[in-house]
Structures are given as structure tokens and as C-alpha cells.
């Protein structure tokens, strides 16, 4: 077949080819199963006009696709900006709230309530080192339907996070076989129907004072930006905990002196 003609059209002999093109680009060929000498001038004009219409249609289609892609990118960028503004507003809200609270339980409840309300976290709890530093104690929890979570944690994933200062993510507990090396966590995940889990160390002034756990009842593919936000919230939790604990210790010392 002539150059540019698909092999599946080679049976059409002879062929008259009409280009489908505009000034902006070439889109293809219209193949007619007749030689140019066999076509009348009217037929040639008809096919030439047809290819012009086809070319414009192709051009408009490509332009619409390009505009749709550009619009999608712009909408995504705008959505990213809105999410970032919402995150900064939330963090600022916590910063402001921290200044107004003088009790640990109150600030912990506020942070966890805001997490569940605004960031679609189904449940969360704050674990702090106990007095002897050998165990983690659950000092605040929210979102658990089955009641209270175990009060003390002596080993398991939270203890590992405490020692390594590295966050741990479980994207889909059910899909991964419904097992973890942590009996406490496995019990909570099964009992509550959780799928995803994130544990972040609470670090203040370089010291790890505890762990904050986050739970979801649906599988979550946490993006780096989402993990970064939750780590920022955990950092604020740690700072607030350290500051209020220091104030409480000073107040206790003052009362003892009196």
C-alpha cells in the first residue's frame, strides 16, 4: 500500500488520500477507494470539505481535552491550597487553645476531639510514660465504641515507637492477615473493626514523653503530607503536655512549701 496507508486498507486499490489537517496540526488521512482520476471535481470538493470538518472536530476535541486536563490540575492545586490553609488554621487553633488550658486532661480531650471532628480520625489515644518510666499509661482516649482501651502498655508497637522515636504505620490490618506482633493492638483492632493505624512518638525538647495513636475504621493510604500533619499535631500535644506538667509540678511544690 502507499506510504501512510494502514496495511488493513491495502485491499482498496487504487486509493485517493485526503489529509485531515489544520494549520495547527496533522491528524490523519481519509482514504477513498478510487484513484484521483476516477473522482469528479464535485466529489473531490466533497471529500476535501469533509476532511476539513474532521480536522476541526479533531482539533476541538484535543483542545477540550487539554482544557479539561488544565482545569483538573488547577482544581487539584486549589484543593491542595484549601487543605493546607485548613491544616494551618487547625494547628493555630491548637496553639491558641494550649495557652488557655491549665489542666492536662482538658487539653488532651480538646486535641483528640478536634482530630475526630475535623480530620476524620475515627479514634485516638495519648499514652504517656508513667512515674517510673517503664510503662506507658493511657491518659486520654476518644472514639472507641467498645469502652476504655487498656490503661497500661508495657510492650508492643507503642513501646517500640517510644524507644526508636520512629512512627509506625499499618495501612490495612485486615488485609495484612489481621495479626500484629502486639497482642494489645491486635485486640483493639479486632474489637473495634479498625483497618488502619498510626503511632507517633511524643517528643518535647528532645525527650520522648509518650506516644500518640491514631485509628481508622476504613483502610487509609496516608500520604506524606497527612503523616506530616499528624506528626505536627503530636508535636503540639507533646509541648502542651510538657508545659502543663511543669506548671503542675511547680504548683505542687509551691503548695508543699506553704
Amino acid at each position: 500500500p502507499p506510504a501512510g496507508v494502514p496495511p488493513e486498507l491495502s485491499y482498496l486499490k487504487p486509493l485517493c488520500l485526503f489529509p485531515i489537517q489544520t494549520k495547527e496540526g496533522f491528524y490523519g488521512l481519509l482514504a477513498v477507494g478510487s484513484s484521483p482520476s476516477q473522482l469528479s471535481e464535485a466529489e473531490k470538493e466533497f471529500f476535501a470539505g469533509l476532511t476539513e470538518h474532521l480536522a476541526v472536530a479533531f482539533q476541538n476535541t484535543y483542545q477540550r481535552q487539554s482544557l479539561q486536563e488544565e482545569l483538573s490540575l488547577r482544581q487539584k492545586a486549589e484543593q491542595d491550597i484549601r487543605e493546607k490553609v485548613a491544616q494551618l488554621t487547625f494547628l493555630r487553633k491548637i496553639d491558641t487553645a494550649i495557652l488557655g488550658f491549665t489542666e492536662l486532661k482538658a487539653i488532651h480531650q480538646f486535641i483528640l476531639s478536634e482530630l475526630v471532628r475535623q480530620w476524620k480520625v475515627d479514634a485516638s489515644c495519648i499514652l504517656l510514660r508513667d512515674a517510673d518510666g517503664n510503662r506507658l499509661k493511657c491518659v486520654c482516649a476518644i472514639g472507641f465504641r467498645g469502652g476504655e482501651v487498656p490503661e497500661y502498655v508495657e510492650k508492643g508497637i507503642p513501646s517500640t515507637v517510644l524507644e526508636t522515636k520512629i512512627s509506625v504505620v499499618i495501612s490495612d490490618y485486615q488485609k495484612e492477615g489481621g495479626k500484629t506482633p502486639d497482642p494489645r493492638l491486635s485486640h483493639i483492632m479486632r474489637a473495634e473493626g479498625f483497618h488502619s493505624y498510626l503511632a507517633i512518638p511524643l517528643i518535647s525538647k528532645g525527650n520522648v514523653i509518650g506516644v500518640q495513636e491514631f485509628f481508622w475504621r476504613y483502610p487509609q493510604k496516608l500520604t506524606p503530607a497527612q503523616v506530616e500533619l499528624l506528626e505536627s499535631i503530636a508535636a503540639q500535644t507533646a509541648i502542651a503536655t510538657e508545659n502543663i506538667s511543669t506548671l503542675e509540678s511547680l504548683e505542687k511544690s509551691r503548695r508543699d512549701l506553704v
Side-chain angles (χ1 to χ4, degrees):
V5 178
E8 58 268 23
L9 298 180
S10 60
Y11 68 93
L12 294 174
K13 298 179 182 180
L15 286 177
C16 185
L17 303 177
F18 293 87
I20 303 173
Q21 63 184 359
T22 63
K23 293 180 180 180
E24 286 73 20
F26 176 80
Y27 302 103
L29 295 168
L30 175 64
V32 179
S34 299
S35 66
S37 61
Q38 293 174 319
L39 295 176
S40 67
E41 290 301 318
E43 290 173 326
K44 291 178 183 178
E45 290 180 7
F46 169 78
F47 288 118
L50 178 61
T51 54
E52 287 181 7
H53 287 297
L54 288 172
V56 171
F58 282 128
Q59 181 179 341
N60 291 340
T61 299
Y62 291 140
Q63 287 178 344
R64 281 195 298 270
Q65 289 176 344
S66 178
L67 288 173
Q68 288 172 349
E69 291 174 0
E70 182 180 347
L71 180 61
S72 296
L73 291 174
R74 186 174 300 177
Q75 290 174 337
K76 185 179 184 304
E78 291 175 353
Q79 179 64 25
D80 290 343
I81 291 173
R82 284 194 293 269
E83 289 182 359
K84 192 65 177 179
V85 170
Q87 291 173 7
L88 293 174
T89 301
F90 180 72
L91 294 174
R92 176 59 180 165
K93 185 176 182 179
I94 292 180
D95 277 335
T96 303
I98 287 173
L99 300 176
F101 286 100
T102 57
E103 295 182 356
L104 269 179
K105 186 174 182 180
I107 186 61
H108 288 161
Q109 287 179 336
F110 172 79
I111 292 173
L112 296 188
S113 296
E114 288 297 309
L115 271 172
V116 171
R117 185 183 68 83
Q118 187 165 339
W119 294 111
K120 298 180 180 178
V121 175
D122 290 313
S124 182
C125 64
I126 296 172
L127 310 172
L128 299 181
R129 288 184 186 270
D130 64 1
D132 59 17
N134 295 325
R135 297 185 300 178
L136 286 167
K137 180 179 180 181
C138 178
V139 297
C140 191
I142 192 171
F144 296 91
R145 297 170 179 170
E148 296 295 327
V149 297
E151 184 176 10
Y152 287 99
V153 180
E154 296 186 9
K155 58 183 179 179
I157 289 178
S159 297
T160 301
V161 171
L162 191 75
E163 295 172 3
T164 62
K165 300 182 182 180
I166 298 174
S167 300
V168 171
V169 178
I170 297 177
S171 297
D172 192 343
Y173 169 80
Q174 308 297 341
K175 191 175 181 180
E176 293 174 13
K179 295 181 180 179
T180 74
D182 184 341
R184 165 193 168 271
L185 181 59
S186 293
H187 170 73
I188 293 174
M189 299 291 279
R190 286 195 304 269
E192 294 284 340
F194 292 132
H195 279 260
S196 297
Y197 169 83
L198 172 65
I200 298 176
L202 297 175
I203 303 175
S204 177
K205 301 174 183 178
N207 298 318
V208 186
I209 63 172
V211 174
Q212 187 163 358
E213 295 180 301
F214 305 85
F215 300 84
W216 292 266
R217 290 188 170 86
Y218 294 93
Q220 301 289 315
K221 292 183 178 180
L222 296 173
T223 65
Q226 289 173 313
V227 174
E228 183 180 352
L229 169 65
L230 294 174
E231 287 178 339
S232 296
I233 294 171
Q236 287 182 308
T237 301
I239 293 171
T241 300
E242 188 79 1
N243 291 344
I244 295 177
S245 295
T246 300
L247 289 174
E248 289 180 348
S249 296
L250 291 174
E251 180 62 22
K252 182 178 183 300
S253 297
R254 187 188 68 79
R255 289 197 303 269
D256 292 342
L257 289 174
V258 174

